[in-house]
Amino acid sequence: MNLLIKFFFITPIFYSVTFAQDFSKIDKHLSDLNFNKTLILLEELNNLYPNNKDILLRLSITHHYLSEKAIQQKEDKENAQKALIYIDHALSLNSEDPNVLKWYVIALGKNVEEESIRKQIEQSKNIEQLSLKVIELLPDDEFCYNICLLYTSPSPRDLSTSRMPSSA
């Protein structure tokens, strides 16, 4: 009986503590912009825990930033697609987590950039709805407002840097 108690109650607590330590190290690398170190640690954890929302979220964030800093368009696109795949998986595990929703909107918006104008217009409505939901859930997160403005503001823009479809 004691062995069962240890297995079902103590072992998960040990793994939770280990996870917390791993996340603090990962989060430190992420905040220090050490994306390659972050990616190595996250991929190891993802191999062990492929359905962990927190790992998937951090993998998506890391790939997003790798995409943003990529010099070559191919690397940018590959990382943007990976970011969307990871966050889509996290969203399927917990669709109400505001940070998952926020990063889903970011990854979706980044991937839509490469689509046709028609697809961009179609997705802008989806992105607008999701952004408004994220703003409701994270009202103090300025990043959410910026995302929403990218897809909802009808004001004139610099077409070379705007994510807003020109005919929307």
Side-chain angles (χ1 to χ4, degrees), residues 6 14 32 44 67 70 83 90 96 103 109:
K6 182 180 177 185
F14 173 74
D32 291 343
E44 289 173 5
S67 170
E96 296 303 314
W103 284 97

Side-chain angles (χ1 to χ4, degrees), residues 144-163:
C144 299
Y145 291 94
N146 292 336
I147 296 165
C148 193
L149 283 173
L150 282 172
Y151 293 96
T152 61
S153 176
S155 63
R157 313 169 170 270
D158 175 4
L159 295 179
S160 66
T161 61
S162 174
R163 289 183 173 147

Side-chain angles (χ1 to χ4, degrees), residues 25-78:
K25 186 177 182 180
I26 287 167
D27 290 344
K28 173 85 172 103
H29 285 310
L30 198 54
S31 67
D32 291 343
L33 309 179
N34 293 327
F35 303 122
N36 292 325
K37 286 181 181 179
T38 305
L39 195 57
I40 291 167
L41 294 171
L42 285 170
E43 286 175 344
E44 289 173 5
L45 281 174
N46 191 46
N47 287 334
L48 295 171
Y49 309 100
N51 291 315
N52 183 291
K53 169 196 61 93
D54 296 317
I55 294 170
L56 295 165
L57 173 63
R58 285 169 174 83
L59 276 165
S60 179
I61 293 168
T62 302
H63 279 288
H64 170 77
Y65 283 118
L66 285 169
S67 170
E68 289 291 311
K69 78 173 220 171
I71 295 170
Q72 295 184 359
Q73 188 175 6
K74 181 182 177 190
E75 184 182 359
D76 176 13
K77 189 173 182 175
E78 286 173 359

